[in-house]
Amino acid sequence: GYQRRVHGKRIFLNLNLEMMEEDSSILTTDRIEELQGKQSTLRYGIFILVGVQSLAAYFARDNPQALQKPLIDHFELNATQYSELYTFFSLPNIIIPFFIGMLIDKWGVPFLNLSITIVLAAGQLICAFSISFESFALLLVGRTFLGIGIENISILQQYIISKHFGNFNVALFTGLNLMCCRLGNILNSAIVPRIFTLTDSLYLGFFIPAIGLVATIVVSIVLNTFEVKSEKIKAQIERGNLLSNGETEVGDRKTNSKSVSFGDLKEFNIILWLCIIIGALFYMLYFGFTNIGSNFLQEYYLIEYKTANDFLSIIYYIAAVGVPTFGLFVDKIGNRDMFFTVGTLSGLVAFFQFLALEQTTYSSAIILPLVLVALYYCSISSNIWSAIPMCADKRLQGTALGMFSILKNIGQALFPLLLGKVKDMSSINGYHGVLICFQIGFGCLLALVMLLRHFVAKENHHLGRGNE
């Protein structure tokens, strides 16, 4: 009888041990390390898929820039009408990104990711069909849908990167993602003009990027699967840590989260607002130039169509390598406000050089201002997407990125129209007035950066401190 009781107790203990190992809420140290390894693998898989999405999206984004001259000739557009392709791209995003930011904060990634990817693919397909139907109005509709998709998926991607990589590595991985964006630009500038030259087909120039965006719907589904698995593993680890500390349920913890509303904007501090405004002005000036860069080089310096696109690609090639490199330095060094200053001064000098170069002639001297534009982009873009979440309360990060996108798109909607009007109103040296507009913009940007540095120094904010 005694042996039977002992044997029974052993069976009972063995069963309990097996149940403890299978129960995800009771984790050994080895099991936690195993789960953390899986989570790390999923994290890098998610990032790779985000990069693929970015490459496909930015391959499509600047189709009008790569096809600017043929597009203008095909639809008989003036500079203002051409600018509408970027104005319609940005207009809906003056409002929509704010709500996307709220939805990220409240609902998470998967549903939004798939929905936005479908909108992206539909927008580029509409652009391609507009060429077949000879309809500029339909092209504007397609650009509108494409703009909604690209701008909002950028917010979503930065949220994903910030969530998975934290503040220490966020600038590096933001830079790597922006590298994928610039690779998309490179493919657009390198491939699309040559396709048009070989086939004389605008339709193919728009349809080939659409194929890539349709393929990213599958990428989005896989990314969502990884994201859900990562969240489940994270919940298991948190539950195990809670139980090891003597708590019984994850739900026992109090949380300070609340629904996001427009009233949350009152919680933004002055440094966060300055970062948002600087970022918006930065993108307004950068895309304001790249949108017209090919035609500017052709008309102002009399450069041939394909050669002009090759020159413009200098910016994208440098940015593809420079952005992740700068991101790595930002993560290691800190002093983010210093990088803002370096970038702004580079852009200001670049546009002084464009004005100083003799018109109607070009040489290797044109390369230098283009390199400085690339330096401007690398210094700030590798920085701004990580600086904004760093300056915002974690609960408000999605909302802060949404507000950033709203202001960014106000600039990107209105600035191209201003540049188009200035060029159309100038019968001679139209781009001379355009360059003056850029110089004024860079002057404003420099003033804002100096104001940011003042407040960062005054408050000893971590945005201006070096990393230990």
Side-chain angles (χ1 to χ4, degrees):
Y2 173 76
Q3 290 181 343
R4 285 197 300 270
R5 286 197 299 273
V6 171
H7 182 65
K9 286 181 180 179
R10 285 176 179 171
I11 293 174
F12 179 76
L13 288 171
N14 288 337
L15 286 172
N16 272 349
L17 287 172
E18 289 175 6
M19 289 173 65
M20 287 172 64
E21 289 174 358
E22 292 175 0
D23 187 350
S24 62
S25 66
I26 304 173
L27 302 178
T28 63
T29 302
D30 290 341
R31 178 60 175 160
I32 289 176
E33 290 179 356
E34 180 186 345
L35 289 172
Q36 288 173 339
K38 289 181 179 179
Q39 190 178 34
S40 179
T41 301
L42 287 170
R43 181 187 299 127
Y44 289 105
I46 287 168
F47 177 76
I48 291 170
L49 295 173
V50 164
V52 173
Q53 283 184 323
S54 296
L55 189 150
Y58 278 80
F59 183 35
R61 185 198 187 278
D62 284 330
N63 260 174
Q65 171 263 309
L67 296 166
Q68 183 173 357
K69 187 66 174 175
L71 201 58
I72 288 173
D73 293 341
H74 182 79
F75 286 111
E76 298 180 349
L77 306 175
N78 58 32
T80 303
Q81 289 172 318
Y82 170 78
S83 298
E84 289 174 358
L85 293 170
Y86 290 95
T87 297
F88 276 76
F89 180 95
S90 299
L91 271 176
N93 298 304
I94 293 173
I95 298 298
I96 292 175
F98 189 80
F99 297 100
I100 294 293
M102 290 180 176
L103 292 175
I104 293 171
D105 287 331
K106 293 175 70 173
W107 294 344
V109 171
F111 174 77
L112 292 174
N113 184 42
L114 181 59
S115 300
I116 295 170
T117 306
I118 291 171
V119 170
L120 266 172
Q124 188 63 19
L125 285 170
I126 292 170
C127 289
F129 294 146
S130 72
I131 305 299
S132 298
F133 293 123
E134 300 282 338
S135 173
F136 182 66
L138 189 60
L139 179 57
L140 293 176
V141 172
R143 290 289 296 173
T144 301
F145 278 95
L146 190 71
I148 291 170
I150 288 179
E151 295 302 312
N152 289 293
I153 207 165
S154 295
I155 299 172
L156 191 63
Q157 289 174 341
Q158 187 57 39
Y159 179 85
I160 292 170
I161 291 170
S162 297
K163 182 175 76 170
H164 286 288
F165 294 97
N167 289 337
F168 182 74
N169 290 314
V170 71
L172 171 61
F173 284 95
T174 296
L176 289 170
N177 187 47
L178 290 171
M179 178 187 74
C180 295
C181 297
R182 300 293 74 81
L183 287 174
N185 292 137
I186 290 170
L187 290 175
N188 179 56
S189 292
I191 294 174
V192 172
R194 284 165 174 78
I195 289 173
F196 176 78
T197 301
L198 291 171
T199 65
D200 199 32
S201 172
L202 275 174
Y203 173 78
L204 278 178
F206 281 94
F207 185 71
I208 289 175
I211 295 172
L213 288 174
V214 170
T216 59
I217 295 175
V218 178
V219 172
S220 176
I221 293 170
V222 177
L223 192 156
N224 289 347
T225 303
F226 285 7
E227 183 71 22
V228 170
K229 287 182 178 179
S230 178
E231 287 298 312
K232 286 182 178 178
I233 292 174
K234 180 181 177 183
Q236 282 182 289
I237 294 171
E238 288 180 352
R239 184 179 177 85
N241 289 335
L242 282 171
L243 290 169
S244 68
N245 291 329
E247 300 183 47
T248 57
E249 295 290 339
V250 176
D252 289 345
R253 291 178 298 171
K254 302 284 185 180
T255 177
N256 293 323
S257 64
K258 64 177 183 178
S259 297
V260 180
S261 67
F262 285 98
D264 291 324
L265 297 179
K266 296 177 184 177
E267 299 182 36
F268 287 11
N269 57 58
I270 184 64
I271 292 176
L272 175 57
W273 274 117
L274 283 170
C275 284
I276 289 172
I277 295 169
I278 286 168
L281 190 54
F282 155 71
Y283 275 108
M284 182 191 84
L285 293 169
Y286 173 75
F287 283 118
F289 176 69
T290 57
N291 292 348
I292 61 171
S294 175
N295 204 53
F296 163 68
L297 294 175
Q298 290 173 66
E299 289 192 14
Y300 202 70
Y301 299 112
L302 302 182
I303 300 176
E304 190 265 338
Y305 168 59
K306 285 194 298 183
T307 306
N309 278 286
D310 289 340
F311 265 94
L312 194 64
S313 294
I314 291 172
I315 298 173
Y316 303 138
Y317 281 113
I318 294 174
V321 177
V323 171
T325 303
F326 272 78
L328 181 62
F329 278 120
V330 168
D331 282 329
K332 295 291 184 184
I333 299 171
N335 299 113
R336 285 169 162 79
D337 58 335
M338 178 190 71
F339 285 92
F340 286 152
T341 307
V342 170
T344 302
L345 290 173
S346 299
L348 188 62
V349 171
F351 281 88
F352 271 117
Q353 287 187 314
F354 279 131
L355 273 174
L357 290 172
E358 186 178 353
Q359 197 176 348
T360 74
T361 62
Y362 83 92
S363 65
S364 57
I366 287 179
I367 295 175
L368 181 57
L370 291 173
V371 169
L372 287 173
V373 171
L375 179 60
Y376 160 68
Y377 179 79
C378 293
S379 299
I380 300 180
S381 66
S382 61
N383 209 344
I384 193 66
W385 285 99
S386 58
I388 290 173
M390 284 180 65
C391 295
D393 183 271
K394 188 174 183 180
R395 177 180 57 83
L396 301 173
Q397 287 179 357
T399 305
L401 290 170
M403 178 53 64
F404 169 44
S405 191
I406 288 170
L407 295 183
K408 177 165 71 78
N409 281 284
I410 290 174
Q412 288 179 228
L414 299 180
F415 194 53
L417 287 178
L418 172 64
L419 298 180
K421 288 290 184 184
V422 169
K423 184 175 184 299
D424 287 337
M425 290 171 63
S426 306
S427 56
I428 302 175
N429 292 342
Y431 276 115
H432 183 85
V434 168
L435 292 176
I436 296 295
C437 290
F438 277 103
Q439 288 183 319
I440 294 170
F442 275 103
C444 294
L445 182 60
L446 183 61
L448 288 169
V449 169
M450 292 298 103
L451 188 61
L452 174 68
R453 297 199 69 172
H454 166 74
F455 281 106
V456 165
K458 181 180 178 181
E459 299 182 16
N460 192 26
H461 194 273
H462 60 271
L463 201 68
R465 294 201 297 266
N467 292 333
E468 297 295 335

